[in-house]
Amino acid sequence: MSDVPPATTAPADLEATSTPPGPAGPPVTGDDPVLRAAYRLCRRRTKDEDPAEYALIQLVPAALRPALHALWAAANALDDLGDDRTAPAAERAARVGAWITALHRELPTGSSQDPIRHALVDTANRWRLDLSELRDAMAQVQDDTGGRHFTDWAEWRAWGRDNLLPWFGLVRTVFDRAGVPVALRLDTRETYEEFLDGVRLTDILTDLAADLAQGDLLLPAEALDLHPGSADDLARRRWSPAVAALVTHLTGLARQWVSHELLTRGMHPGPATVLHTMAALLRAQLDAIDAAGPALLRTAPRPALRSRARILAPARARAALAWSLTPLTVPPPQHPGAHRPPAPARPASVPGTFRLPPPHPSGARPPGIQPGDLPAHVAVIMDGNGRWAQQRGLPRHEGHRAGATAVREVVHGALEAGLRHLTLYTFSTENWHRDPQEVDAILDLLRRELAENPFRDLDVRLRWHGRAGRLPPDLVDVLHLRERTTRARTGLTLTMCIDYGGRDELTRTAAALAQRAREGRLEPGLVAEDDFARHLPLADMPDVDLLWRTGGERRVSNFLPWHAAYAELHFTPGLWPDTDRRDLWQALAEYTRRQRHHGATPAASPTDGPSAARCSTAPAAGAGE
């Protein structure tokens, strides 16, 4: 690749742990010749199959490159298995599944017979990467073997982000472990995701000829419908005015998405240079797509070597200066018997399968409540952590630690009972008034729990409800990460309310409505409940059926006032750390004995059963119903 000379003369498998101009160190990939060959293969595949990606990796310190080569090669190897049209879809899906199953078997061992997985496993262990974050992205590759169709941009974005964000998240983690965190400002998070939308759209347009040859058209119908006839023309691989207009429209969108200057504001100049260069290369690629014309339907366009050189030459100079002033922390090679992060001991993380929650030590089982009789949404005020600790002569933070164990136990019980939504009042807007040491202990506990990710192998979708402005950026980062990597799960939706207040939620909603009215998009005199519900910060959260508070207090404490307007209230005296899944099951059983009228006359007698009474007297559908 003559237009992209390497930033250092050292081959990838011999790159030093210190960044030039520092002194030479031991090989980053260790002395194991098999492992060094595995990394060398990942580097070669990156260079041969994606020169632009290889050029970007050359802009980072030599010590980090093997890890990035391994991540890229693994993602590409998985995609290649899914895209191999010499095999039928079912066989391709089986191959992807076998690759993922093998990876999870190999993680605890630290090695693999497959060289790319060998490099990935070593990278994960060395840099303490949690590969379970890739679970849903890998599952998507397996699902894609059956073909994809997108109705609108929302579906398309969800698909693209579910695939790209976890891999990019691991790259950010590598920088973080090296001592150069790629922190995103809270106001740039959506910009970051939109940037990745631009990456995905540019990639789809580049590979349009290959995808069409396989019968794939990975564009949303919403975009195709704007240019009537373009879908049929593309299916026939026929260049037409409609196709030309579609391509111009899409390259314009992609160019807009990858051109956010604010994305790197406040970022370390090393990663910022990589992102700026990536954006410039993407724009050059989009220029090549625009210039290709009918040839776009026959072959993948590439920018001229001279254009790429004009982008990369100054980028290498800026990157070299930035990294020369930056000390790095690089983990040593792993040795047999060295500590490794926990990994699944069995192939529980294979896409499409989840572990069952561990049984209760007593052998207790959930009550036999029919799904139609269960509350759809249970919200819990977890009260009593501090009192629990004080009763035992312990500091208050020990109560919160014990409370975290109770959270795991109740989540296990919710899964066993078949509950669909569980929302926990984790940290309120009023909790900031507590002693700063207690606040710090709570936030540190949240960090540890989210880092440990105790529900990684369970069918639990994690969501966060609250404000971000006062929370530490690293905590916000991991909350968003857990949301992204679990949003395709369909079991229990676990919502953690962190820096949440009910009045704050209503105030923010009113502000959003006022802004819409000011823009002329909403008539104030016609605002209805449905309008209000659509502007809530978490608009798709269903109404609460059962609100449960532990600790003996009998008030709702500013918790979900809109969603809990018709909730059944359940108060129990026990302190939260003493709670286990049996208490949740008791609350569910109590709920089934309630008759919910919502102000209406019961349409069923008590002998008709609680389910009939609830169904016949339910209010008109509102937010989330």
Side-chain angles (χ1 to χ4, degrees):
M1 205 174 87
S2 59
D3 62 315
V4 190
T8 174
T9 57
D13 53 305
L14 296 175
E15 287 162 345
T17 55
S18 56
T19 304
V28 171
T29 55
D31 299 321
D32 181 352
V34 175
L35 181 59
R36 292 173 67 186
Y39 276 109
R40 190 160 52 241
L41 172 64
C42 293
R43 174 179 180 265
R44 186 168 62 250
R45 286 194 61 169
T46 307
K47 182 176 181 180
D48 293 345
E49 298 179 24
D50 195 339
E53 183 70 24
Y54 177 81
L56 290 170
I57 293 175
Q58 289 297 104
L59 297 178
V60 308
L64 277 60
R65 292 177 200 160
L68 304 189
H69 290 143
L71 287 168
W72 184 91
N76 206 48
L78 206 56
D79 284 342
D80 287 348
L81 286 175
D83 291 340
D84 180 11
R85 295 308 175 102
T86 63
E91 184 176 337
R92 284 182 277 127
R95 290 176 182 176
V96 172
W99 196 97
I100 299 168
T101 301
L103 172 65
H104 285 280
R105 279 201 305 260
E106 293 158 352
L107 272 170
T109 71
S111 65
S112 171
Q113 294 298 312
D114 178 271
I116 291 177
R117 287 202 305 269
H118 190 25
L120 179 63
V121 165
D122 181 77
T123 290
N125 289 327
R126 182 194 306 265
W127 293 94
R128 307 192 318 281
L129 304 181
D130 183 359
L131 295 191
S132 70
E133 295 169 5
L134 299 175
R135 174 190 181 124
D136 293 332
M138 291 180 171
Q140 186 190 88
V141 175
Q142 194 169 20
D143 292 341
D144 286 349
T145 57
R148 284 285 182 180
H149 173 76
F150 308 105
T151 302
D152 53 28
W153 282 112
E155 286 184 10
W156 182 89
R157 287 190 182 94
W159 167 76
R161 293 179 183 185
D162 286 348
N163 181 266
L164 285 180
L165 280 166
W167 292 97
F168 274 76
L170 290 182
V171 171
R172 290 176 58 199
T173 301
V174 170
F175 280 102
D176 184 61
R177 299 281 192 263
V180 189
V182 186
L184 296 173
R185 295 188 358 259
L186 298 176
D187 59 339
T188 63
R189 189 167 306 280
E190 179 60 29
T191 299
Y192 170 66
E193 297 196 2
E194 195 171 84
F195 179 85
L196 295 186
D197 293 342
V199 173
R200 171 63 77 189
L201 184 53
T202 303
D203 182 61
I204 288 172
L205 292 172
T206 299
D207 295 336
L208 192 58
D211 288 342
L212 291 174
Q214 297 180 154
D216 291 331
L217 182 54
L218 301 176
L219 297 170
E222 180 181 350
L224 297 167
D225 290 345
L226 291 175
H227 306 277
S230 60
D232 289 338
D233 290 335
L234 285 171
R236 294 177 171 83
R237 304 182 71 181
R238 181 175 61 207
W239 187 260
S240 67
V243 170
L246 172 69
V247 170
T248 299
H249 170 66
L250 294 177
T251 55
L253 272 181
R255 197 172 280 107
Q256 174 186 331
W257 291 342
V258 302
S259 299
H260 293 291
E261 293 299 323
L262 296 180
L263 181 60
T264 57
R265 179 181 293 177
M267 191 179 290
H268 182 282
T273 296
V274 175
L275 278 176
H276 278 305
T277 307
M278 186 176 185
L281 290 172
L282 287 166
R283 288 192 292 269
Q285 180 63 36
L286 291 166
D287 290 341
I289 293 167
D290 275 332
L296 182 66
L297 304 185
R298 297 192 299 271
T299 186
R302 298 295 177 194
L305 297 183
R306 182 174 299 177
S307 299
R308 296 182 60 212
R310 280 199 300 267
I311 296 169
L312 292 169
R316 283 194 290 268
R318 289 195 302 270
L321 176 61
W323 295 119
S324 70
L325 303 174
T326 305
L328 297 177
T329 302
V330 180
Q334 292 286 326
H335 299 289
H339 170 73
R340 293 189 175 96
R346 54 180 177 169
S349 292
V350 178
T353 65
F354 293 96
R355 273 198 307 110
L356 296 175
H360 190 271
S362 71
R365 298 293 302 157
I369 301 174
Q370 294 299 314
D373 292 336
L374 276 173
H377 184 185
V378 175
V380 186
I381 300 174
M382 305 177 292
D383 195 14
N385 290 335
R387 283 177 283 159
W388 183 91
Q390 289 172 335
Q391 289 175 4
R392 289 159 176 76
L394 300 171
R396 288 178 62 86
H397 67 81
E398 290 297 333
H400 298 299
R401 188 191 307 276
T405 301
V407 167
R408 299 187 187 191
E409 174 66 14
V410 168
V411 169
H412 293 158
L415 282 166
E416 286 186 299
L419 193 63
R420 300 308 304 271
H421 292 270
L422 177 66
T423 298
L424 304 179
Y425 208 179
T426 308
F427 187 85
S428 74
T429 51
E430 291 81 10
N431 287 155
W432 292 106
H433 300 305
R434 295 188 178 186
D435 182 273
Q437 288 185 333
E438 182 178 356
V439 171
D440 288 344
I442 293 172
L443 297 180
D444 284 342
L445 178 62
L446 285 171
R447 285 190 190 91
R448 290 196 298 272
E449 284 293 297
L450 289 164
E452 187 174 345
N453 195 12
F455 310 127
R456 63 161 60 89
D457 293 327
L458 303 177
D459 193 7
V460 175
R461 179 191 183 195
L462 182 66
R463 301 188 80 186
W464 162 44
H465 193 15
R467 277 189 175 270
R470 292 185 289 190
L471 294 174
D474 63 322
L475 179 58
V476 173
D477 233 20
V478 73
L479 282 166
H480 281 296
L481 173 65
R482 294 289 173 253
E483 283 191 312
R484 289 195 305 267
T485 55
T486 63
R487 63 182 167 190
R489 301 186 183 189
T490 58
L492 173 70
T493 295
L494 173 64
T495 303
M496 311 290 287
C497 291
I498 302 174
D499 199 9
Y500 169 85
R503 288 184 173 179
D504 176 74
E505 178 183 33
L506 299 181
T507 302
R508 292 161 64 190
T509 305
L513 285 168
Q515 180 63 34
R516 296 270 291 184
R518 183 178 181 181
E519 295 168 351
R521 302 166 69 184
L522 192 68
E523 176 58 46
L526 299 178
V527 173
E529 288 187 14
D530 286 350
D531 297 305
F532 195 92
R534 282 196 298 270
H535 288 81
L536 288 163
L538 212 59
D540 60 344
M541 174 185 280
D543 283 352
V544 175
D545 296 306
L546 175 65
L547 193 152
W548 169 29
R549 179 170 186 154
T550 63
E553 302 291 350
R554 292 177 175 267
R555 55 182 179 271
V556 296
S557 297
N558 198 25
F559 187 40
L560 299 175
W562 179 269
H563 300 90
Y566 290 99
E568 296 293 324
L569 304 181
H570 181 67
F571 300 107
T572 53
L575 304 179
W576 178 252
D578 291 326
T579 302
D580 71 11
R581 70 188 78 179
R582 293 172 296 182
D583 297 293
L584 171 66
W585 296 339
Q586 183 179 353
L588 299 179
E590 171 66 23
Y591 173 85
T592 66
R593 292 189 285 271
R594 305 277 182 96
Q595 290 192 37
R596 307 186 71 201
H597 302 155
H598 304 288
T601 301
S605 67
T607 57
D608 290 329
S611 178
R614 280 198 305 280
C615 293
S616 62
T617 61
E625 280 202 356

